[in-house]
Amino acid sequence: MPSFRAPRGTYDILPDEQPYWSFALKTAAETAKRFGYGRIDTPMFEPTDLFERGVGDATDIVQKEMYTFEDHGGDSLTLRPEGTAGVCRAYIEHGLHNQPQPVRMHYIGPYFRYERPQAGRFRQLRQFGVEAIGDGSPNVDVEVIELGWSYIRSLNINGTSLRINSIGDSECRPAYLDALREYYRGHIDEVCDDDRQRFESAPLRLLDCKRTQCQGIGDAAPKSTDFLCDACDAHWASVIALLDGLKDTYPDLDYSIDHRLVRGLDYYTRTVFEIEPENAAGQSTLLGGGRYDGLIEEIGGPPTPGIGFALGLDRIISEVKSREGFVPPESGPDVVIVHLGDEAGLRASALAAGLRDDGLGVLVAPVGRSMRAQMRYSNSMNARYALIIGDREIESAEGALRPLRDNGEQEAVALNVQALAKALRGD
Ligand code: HAM
């Protein structure tokens, strides 16, 4: 047993895994660019109040999952559990309402939640998220959903499904919450203990309960879409019509209206949505988001609508790995220099420096091993070529360049950077 291990709920991403991450991150940046979402980076910690007020005091995130600490100056700070509150804080702080609206932004990075670790659930998680702030029209809701769907498709992840709902706004939600409490009051003895506790503080979350005993009760509960005010209802109808319009491009955009979808953060208004993978089980939601028209005002800005989503990259990577159709790009150096003897060792090191400076990937095989061991090493590094230098090659000033990945002939190449670079590039 090693004395130190990565903390529970965290893991290392070793070099072999990196091609999957590069692929997912590069595709995220490209997708964001196609939709005009510029990159924003915010600090990894923020004042604790920002999350208490933004995400909501009664949420699991704020109550149980935040990594909060007091710094040496006595300020309470929290490792960001999610990205939206920080992006909205930045929007206010930098006066981004003066720019053309909506301001479209994306972010990629680590987030921290003290959750019970299990498959697909980590304490340091990584998200790709987008926010479009300053435009309340339903077209932006659907643009954001389209972006998420398009990203997932670009990664060759098929069979996903979209669930969508509208949870109204501060105008119509109170009446809905009353109806919900009224309904659950009649079932209070049948629901689980957690739900009994949430009954007063977070009645919407009762709908989200995953316990078997609460399923039938949740299914038969009043639906938020039946309580929408006129403005929310018109918005909802437009979202659905616009979503149907995406089917020409994405025939498999298979969405369902789920009246039990409420999301676990308090800032949502109107549209909320989630994307699940095929064969969804347990902690597998790939993406979640929604509109948050009250959030910016809640954290001290002018009334400003916003909408966005975040997608769990850890979960996306395991989906990518479990699917066919994505092979990580061939990695490995262009050449490993195999060298026998002191003189060859010196030449190997000097040539490696010159070739690397020329832009090629070069490894020098470990010193003091037999030719056969060095060739084995070259193959295990997945190199394109081995360049063999021994006494004979030093004397003739020509090294033996042997292709390793393709069946080509070994050739003699002058031992200088220019000739070797040319041969390695196949010019
Ligand atoms: P969220 O639903 O809390 O929303 O997280 C979004 C996604 O992050 C989840 O669907 C999941 O894929 C991933 N995720 C969350 N927690 C974990 C975890 N412990 N381990 C692994 N993956 C996890 C938000 O964070 C909102 N800020 C989304 C948003 C943006 N809404 C509007 N704009």
Side-chain angles (χ1 to χ4, degrees), residues 55 61 65 81-85 107 111 113 115-116 118 120-127 129-131 263-265 267-268 273-275 283-292 306-316:
V55 175
I61 291 184
E65 296 170 5
E82 62 97 53
T84 312
Y107 47 90
Y111 296 84
R113 297 183 188 180
E115 294 203 73
R116 198 146 48 83
Q118 51 177 269
R121 198 204 265 165
F122 304 100
R123 289 183 172 170
Q124 175 175 325
L125 54 126
R126 293 155 184 92
Q127 288 187 340
V130 307
E131 313 293 349
R263 309 268 307 131
L265 301 95
Y267 49 62
Y268 291 112
F273 54 93
E274 286 185 353
I275 296 181
Q283 294 301 316
S284 60
T285 302
L286 295 175
L287 173 160
R291 187 162 269 295
Y292 45 85
I307 177 151
F309 71 69
L311 176 149
L313 286 168
D314 311 270
R315 295 179 189 177
I316 279 284

Side-chain angles (χ1 to χ4, degrees), residues 52-382:
E52 286 172 351
R53 280 173 55 193
V55 175
D57 271 341
T59 58
D60 281 354
I61 291 184
V62 169
Q63 293 208 336
K64 304 181 198 157
E65 296 170 5
M66 297 208 302
Y67 283 91
T68 296
F69 59 98
E70 199 173 289
D71 71 6
H72 293 295
D75 291 327
S76 179
L77 297 169
T78 293
L79 295 185
R80 60 187 188 184
E82 62 97 53
T84 312
V87 171
C88 289
R89 192 244 337 115
Y91 176 93
I92 301 169
E93 185 172 336
H94 301 285
L96 299 188
H97 59 274
N98 293 317
Q99 294 188 1
Q101 306 293 298
V103 179
R104 296 180 166 90
M105 292 173 275
H106 81 279
Y107 47 90
I108 295 170
Y111 296 84
F112 307 89
R113 297 183 188 180
Y114 187 79
E115 294 203 73
R116 198 146 48 83
Q118 51 177 269
R121 198 204 265 165
F122 304 100
R123 289 183 172 170
Q124 175 175 325
L125 54 126
R126 293 155 184 92
Q127 288 187 340
F128 160 41
V130 307
E131 313 293 349
I133 305 181
D135 184 335
S137 67
N139 305 59
V140 187
D141 302 32
V142 176
E143 173 183 293
V144 160
I145 295 172
E146 180 198 337
L147 195 166
W149 194 266
S150 167
Y151 174 63
I152 290 172
R153 283 293 171 274
S154 303
L155 299 176
N156 295 323
I157 299 174
N158 297 308
T160 49
S161 56
L162 168 69
R163 292 182 301 123
I164 185 163
N165 192 18
S166 173
I167 55 170
D169 64 5
S170 55
E171 169 117 15
C172 49
R173 194 166 324 141
Y176 175 57
L177 294 185
D178 285 348
L180 206 55
R181 278 207 193 85
E182 180 66 31
Y183 169 80
Y184 271 101
R185 194 168 287 120
H187 295 278
I188 203 72
D189 296 333
E190 300 155 59
V191 297
C192 64
D193 289 346
D194 284 350
D195 280 357
R196 259 193 292 279
Q197 280 180 15
R198 290 192 193 118
F199 176 76
E200 279 304 333
S201 60
L204 273 185
R205 302 283 301 157
L206 272 69
L207 291 168
D208 198 28
C209 184
K210 304 282 182 292
R211 295 230 166 75
T212 321
Q213 73 197 88
C214 304
Q215 296 313 301
I217 304 167
D219 286 343
K223 300 180 177 169
S224 51
T225 45
D226 290 338
F227 288 78
L228 299 179
C229 57
D230 289 348
C232 285
D233 198 40
H235 186 98
W236 174 234
S238 298
V239 166
I240 295 299
L242 287 159
L243 208 48
D244 286 334
L246 293 186
K247 286 204 168 154
D248 284 346
T249 309
Y250 299 105
D252 64 340
L253 183 69
D254 155 35
Y255 73 87
S256 58
I257 295 170
D258 179 356
H259 82 274
R260 291 184 57 187
L261 176 66
V262 293
R263 309 268 307 131
L265 301 95
D266 274 358
Y267 49 62
Y268 291 112
T269 52
R270 296 191 169 171
T271 315
V272 287
F273 54 93
E274 286 185 353
I275 296 181
E276 307 281 347
E278 204 169 18
N279 310 322
Q283 294 301 316
S284 60
T285 302
L286 295 175
L287 173 160
R291 187 162 269 295
Y292 45 85
D293 291 347
L295 174 57
I296 295 212
E297 201 176 357
E298 181 65 40
I299 60 171
T304 311
I307 177 151
F309 71 69
L311 176 149
L313 286 168
D314 311 270
R315 295 179 189 177
I316 279 284
I317 297 290
S318 56
E319 281 295 314
V320 166
K321 281 192 192 159
S322 69
R323 311 263 166 161
E324 289 180 17
F326 170 66
V327 183
E330 292 235 55
S331 53
D334 293 302
V335 62
V336 173
I337 306 181
V338 170
H339 53 101
L340 293 159
D342 294 344
E343 177 76 25
L346 291 173
R347 286 298 283 280
S349 164
L351 285 171
L355 290 169
R356 289 178 188 130
D357 191 47
D358 205 60
L360 288 154
V362 185
L363 285 178
V364 178
V367 178
R369 299 208 193 152
S370 68
M371 159 102 172
R372 183 201 277 251
Q374 292 190 52
M375 287 307 293
R376 247 199 329 265
Y377 174 81
S378 310
N379 278 308
S380 66
M381 287 294 110
N382 195 22

